[in-house]
């Protein structure tokens, strides 16, 4: 029987927000929030951070994660998360034994309820799904530009519905992904087979891509502690 492991990729060379993974946010380094959330899960057996960076590695270990050292070739701007995840799973299985399920957490999406990770794993198992992603429900009216002008994507402007009557659509929030290693290795993708959704609160849609996002995330984390 293999283990359920959380993997948090965190490379050192962030250009948009330098050193963002170890920036202090709501009283602790950004990456520490995801580490602690994973450690507090009742269904996660071990927590790993995949990184090429000495400071990130030291901070991660200080907050209780194990570290997988990522090769420089997998830490460039063009390297995919999937490549880093495959490397991490390979290293973990050599070091600590078989892995049944990967809980992939992005530390740039740190707004999670205390039980979100466990509820996501429970949903995956209850649905008999092969993989899962976390989402936020959306009732927004969406449009796109075209050669003949703009057109609505998800409703008929001539018969504008009430928002509460619209069929819910779901926005990927980048917070939680679940998958077994075989899907990752055979498809080179975090998602495959029967895919389940784990719905999260509206505020979890915020991701850190800019300094403004840092302020928003810090405010939200302070309120939800």
């Amino acid at each position: 029987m293999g283990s359920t492991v959380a993997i948090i990729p965190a490379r050192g060379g962030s250009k948009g927000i330098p050193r963002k993974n170890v920036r202090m946010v709501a009283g602790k380094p950004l990456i520490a929030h995801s580490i602690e959330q994973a450690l507090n899960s009742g269904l996660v057996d071990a927590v790993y951070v995949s990184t090429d960076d000495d400071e990130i590695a030291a901070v991660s270990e200080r907050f209780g994660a194990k570290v997988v050292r990522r090769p420089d070739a997998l830490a460039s701007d063009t390297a995919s998360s999937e490549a880093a995840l495959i490397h991490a799973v390979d290293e973990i299985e050599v070091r600590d034994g078989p892995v049944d399920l990967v809980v992939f957490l992005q530390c740039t999406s740190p707004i999670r309820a205390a039980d979100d990770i466990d509820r996501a794993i429970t949903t995956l198992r209850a649905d008999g799904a092969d993989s899962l992603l976390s989402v936020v429900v959306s009732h927004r009216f969406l449009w796109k530009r075209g050669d003949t002008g703009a057109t609505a994507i998800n409703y008929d402007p001539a018969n504008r519905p009430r928002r509460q009557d619209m069929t819910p659509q779901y926005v990927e929030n980048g917070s939680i992904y679940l998958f077994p290693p075989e899907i990752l290795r055979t498809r080179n993708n975090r998602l495959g087979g029967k895919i389940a959704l784990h719905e999260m609160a509206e505020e979890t849609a915020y991701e850190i891509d800019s300094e403004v996002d840092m302020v928003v995330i810090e405010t939200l984390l302070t309120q939800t502690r």
Side-chain angles (χ1 to χ4, degrees), residues 60-75:
S60 298
E61 289 177 336
R62 177 158 56 89
F63 281 89
K66 301 180 182 181
V67 171
V68 174
R69 286 290 185 166
R70 192 190 312 186
D72 291 343
L74 298 180

Side-chain angles (χ1 to χ4, degrees), residues 16-212:
I17 307 175
R19 312 301 299 163
K20 67 181 177 185
N21 292 318
V22 289
R23 280 270 296 271
M24 295 299 290
V25 180
K28 65 188 71 172
L30 175 61
I31 195 169
H33 293 280
S34 294
I35 291 171
E36 291 183 342
Q37 289 157 358
L39 288 171
N40 288 332
S41 164
L43 300 178
V44 170
D45 298 308
V47 181
Y48 297 84
V49 169
S50 166
T51 188
D52 62 314
D53 184 88
D54 290 342
E55 183 183 8
I56 293 173
V59 168
S60 298
E61 289 177 336
R62 177 158 56 89
F63 281 89
K66 301 180 182 181
V67 171
V68 174
R69 286 290 185 166
R70 192 190 312 186
D72 291 343
L74 298 180
S76 68
D77 291 338
T78 58
S80 69
S81 294
E82 275 74 10
L85 289 164
I86 290 170
H87 171 265
V89 172
D90 288 345
E91 291 291 312
I92 291 165
E93 291 194 321
V94 168
R95 183 193 308 179
D96 296 326
V99 172
D100 277 347
L101 184 67
V102 175
V103 180
F104 168 30
L105 304 177
Q106 297 193 132
C107 56
T108 50
S109 298
I111 309 298
R112 302 180 185 93
D115 63 346
D116 264 319
I117 295 171
D118 285 348
R119 288 194 298 116
I121 295 171
T122 300
T123 296
L124 176 83
R125 293 171 177 168
D127 288 2
D130 301 296
S131 57
L132 174 146
L133 70 152
S134 58
V135 296
V136 173
V137 68
S138 172
H139 294 281
R140 294 182 182 275
F141 299 108
L142 302 179
W143 287 72
K144 63 180 179 180
R145 289 190 175 95
D147 294 337
T148 59
T151 56
I153 294 174
N154 63 340
Y155 79 106
D156 178 5
N159 296 283
R160 189 180 188 90
R162 298 185 308 165
R163 290 170 64 91
Q164 59 266 38
D165 293 334
M166 293 179 69
T167 300
Q169 294 185 310
Y170 299 93
V171 178
E172 195 167 337
N173 69 353
S175 184
I176 302 171
Y177 300 90
L178 307 180
F179 47 85
E182 59 264 28
I183 281 183
L184 180 65
R185 288 172 174 142
T186 59
R187 299 171 184 262
N188 195 32
N189 198 303
R190 68 194 72 176
L191 298 171
K194 180 181 179 182
I195 300 172
L197 300 179
H198 170 61
E199 187 175 333
M200 295 175 65
E202 183 178 2
E203 62 268 21
T204 67
Y206 288 99
E207 301 179 66
I208 295 178
D209 291 314
S210 68
E211 291 289 349
V212 172

